[in-house]
Amino acid sequence: MSFPELEHFVRVLSSLPGIGSRSARRIAFYLLKSDLRETEDLAETMLDLRRRVRFCSLCGGLSTGDLCTICSDPTRDRSQLCIVEEPSDIFAIEGTGEYKGLYHVLMGALSPLDGIGPEELRIKELAHRLDTERFSEWFVATNPTLEGDATASYLSDRFKRDTIRFTRISHGIPTGTGIEFADKSTLARSIRERKTLS
């Protein structure tokens, strides 16, 4: 028995990160069993998210306007810049209440095997910020993975300045785990105990 519409939906859904074909099939059957209005609400919500939420023109975090609420907040510590891989990392760090500075999202990490070099990341925008803003600390909060560590080393080597202290998130987060999956207390401790990059 073949239903091309079902198979197409499963194929599209399983292309999303973290959703395999079995999970996609389960979601498809759930939607087929649920009320049509619930499925329409889900579709409308997804479209609304995609149409209204964009990336901040300065930091690369999520925003509904040109600048996000963090970049436009005059009470943030503008001498500190936290560099993260993905916009979702900002949510995780903000959830700890330990950091009050600004952010810069790279949109990934260096991974030569996957063809991701400095040109594929928002490093040119980071260099521009170094030229136009005054920072005393760059807090590199890339994931504690091989790619995250390589990215942190690259940034430290390329942008080293006597006037800027480079710090790295403490490795209280298990190696190989993304920041967004760390529990609040572990992430908070990692931020408090960040260390200077040599």
Side-chain angles (χ1 to χ4, degrees):
M1 194 182 304
S2 175
F3 292 94
E5 300 85 355
L6 175 64
E7 295 311 313
H8 178 67
F9 180 80
V10 168
R11 205 168 33 255
V12 168
L13 200 58
S14 61
S15 70
L16 296 174
I19 300 181
S21 58
R22 289 178 71 178
S23 295
R25 192 172 297 280
R26 243 189 332 269
I27 292 168
F29 281 112
Y30 171 83
L31 292 173
L32 286 170
K33 288 191 300 186
S34 66
D35 183 79
L36 181 60
R37 186 70 215 143
E38 188 179 338
T39 305
E40 288 172 344
D41 283 346
L42 176 63
E44 287 169 20
T45 302
M46 289 169 63
L47 286 170
D48 191 46
L49 171 74
R50 191 61 190 89
R51 287 182 183 131
R52 297 183 69 191
V53 178
R54 63 187 74 144
F55 297 113
C56 174
S57 63
L58 183 59
C59 76
L62 298 183
S63 179
T64 53
D66 185 46
L67 289 180
C68 69
T69 56
I70 293 173
C71 286
S72 57
D73 182 351
T75 66
R76 301 293 295 204
D77 183 347
R78 301 189 108 63
S79 70
Q80 292 184 323
L81 185 69
C82 179
I83 301 164
V84 296
E85 292 180 24
E86 301 293 343
S88 56
D89 298 333
I90 294 175
F91 287 88
I93 291 171
E94 284 295 294
T96 68
E98 289 290 327
Y99 179 74
K100 302 296 180 200
L102 300 176
Y103 291 93
H104 186 85
V105 181
L106 296 171
M107 295 297 182
L110 294 174
S111 181
L113 293 176
D114 297 320
I116 302 172
E119 300 76 29
E120 283 70 44
L121 303 177
R122 295 184 68 248
I123 292 177
K124 190 180 357 171
E125 293 86 347
L126 185 60
H128 178 71
R129 292 187 78 176
L130 180 60
D131 292 337
T132 58
E133 298 174 61
R134 277 199 179 325
F135 298 108
S136 60
E137 179 187 5
W138 274 20
F139 168 33
V140 184
T142 52
N143 289 322
T145 59
L146 197 59
E147 295 81 8
D149 289 341
T151 305
S153 292
Y154 172 83
L155 294 174
S156 175
D157 291 343
R158 177 171 170 182
F159 296 109
K160 194 158 189 68
R161 303 280 192 284
D162 291 338
T163 55
I164 298 176
R165 185 173 138 237
F166 274 82
T167 58
R168 175 85 168 108
I169 195 165
S170 173
H171 280 72
I173 299 171
T175 299
T177 302
I179 287 174
E180 64 184 294
F181 301 112
D183 64 275
K184 267 188 189 177
S185 60
T186 301
L187 185 55
R189 189 176 66 247
S190 295
I191 293 169
R192 275 194 309 273
E193 296 173 5
R194 61 187 182 265
K195 58 186 182 187
T196 301
L197 285 170
S198 54

